[in-house]
Amino acid sequence: LQQPEAVPLLNFIDIGPEDKAIQRILALRESLFLLKEDGVYRLTGLDGNFSVDLFDGSTKIIAPDSAVVLNNQIYCLTNLGMVTISDTGVSIISNDIASDIQLLSSSNYNYKYTTFGVSYENDGAYFLFMPNSVNDDVATFAYRYATANNSLTTFDISKTCGIVNPG
């Protein structure tokens, strides 16, 4: 009672422009990545000596729930398509299906809040669930990206959320 915030004012760091919202924050081994409406930012440092840099201003997340961590990389849906984000940079993994991704993430589809991602570490796979029709109000289609051979497969499946059973 009557106590100020638990975070001292000295630990406050502005991340990019104030008018652009943070969509997701995910940690990798060496960095904390902040996925904002205007790009990807990276927070690094130790013991209170933190710095934030614009990591990639051309990559903008377009479906916040698509971002997951798999094999020390972030997988998500962006304006560039399906990408991986790691300490070394951003890589597009959906070149083979670029036209499909572009269509499904157009303004005609309800993709922003129905699209979600699931990482499956034991299988080495990233699942991206999306709507497949302009009338869909849930994800009705999934892409499975296999990290072992960089291949994509598809599933017609209707889901609103996903989790991998650790057992």
Side-chain angles (χ1 to χ4, degrees):
L1 183 66
Q2 303 297 326
Q3 292 294 315
E5 291 285 336
V7 179
L9 290 177
L10 295 175
N11 290 349
F12 185 85
I13 300 172
D14 285 320
I15 311 294
E18 289 181 16
D19 64 333
K20 301 297 182 188
I22 295 173
Q23 300 293 307
R24 280 290 178 265
I25 300 174
L26 296 162
L28 297 184
R29 223 176 271 133
E30 300 292 325
S31 309
L32 189 66
F33 284 88
L34 302 107
L35 309 177
K36 288 191 65 167
E37 292 174 337
D38 67 319
V40 178
Y41 292 80
R42 180 171 62 174
L43 184 141
T44 56
L46 294 169
D47 301 326
N49 295 318
F50 300 112
S51 66
V52 175
D53 298 304
L54 178 62
F55 187 73
D56 189 323
S58 64
T59 304
K60 298 164 182 67
I61 189 165
I62 60 172
D65 290 335
S66 69
V68 297
V69 175
L70 174 68
N71 298 333
N72 199 41
Q73 295 182 37
I74 297 168
Y75 288 76
C76 60
L77 183 63
T78 71
N79 61 313
L80 304 175
M82 287 170 52
V83 302
T84 61
I85 303 169
S86 68
D87 287 319
T88 59
V90 175
S91 298
I92 301 170
I93 59 173
S94 62
N95 286 330
D96 294 344
I97 55 166
S99 60
D100 295 338
I101 292 288
Q102 187 175 17
L103 174 67
L104 295 174
S105 60
S106 70
S107 60
N108 297 332
Y109 289 75
N110 182 23
Y111 71 89
K112 185 169 184 176
Y113 298 109
T114 58
T115 297
F116 65 93
V118 175
S119 65
Y120 190 179
E121 288 281 345
N122 290 346
D123 192 35
Y126 169 62
F127 291 87
L128 180 68
F129 292 84
M130 298 184 74
N132 197 29
S133 164
V134 294
N135 298 321
D136 291 343
D137 56 356
V138 299
T140 56
F141 183 77
Y143 289 104
R144 179 187 178 270
Y145 178 77
T147 60
N149 59 5
N150 301 322
S151 66
L152 280 161
T153 53
T154 60
F155 299 93
D156 286 322
I157 188 168
S158 184
K159 298 290 178 191
T160 57
C161 61
I163 189 168
V164 174
N165 183 345

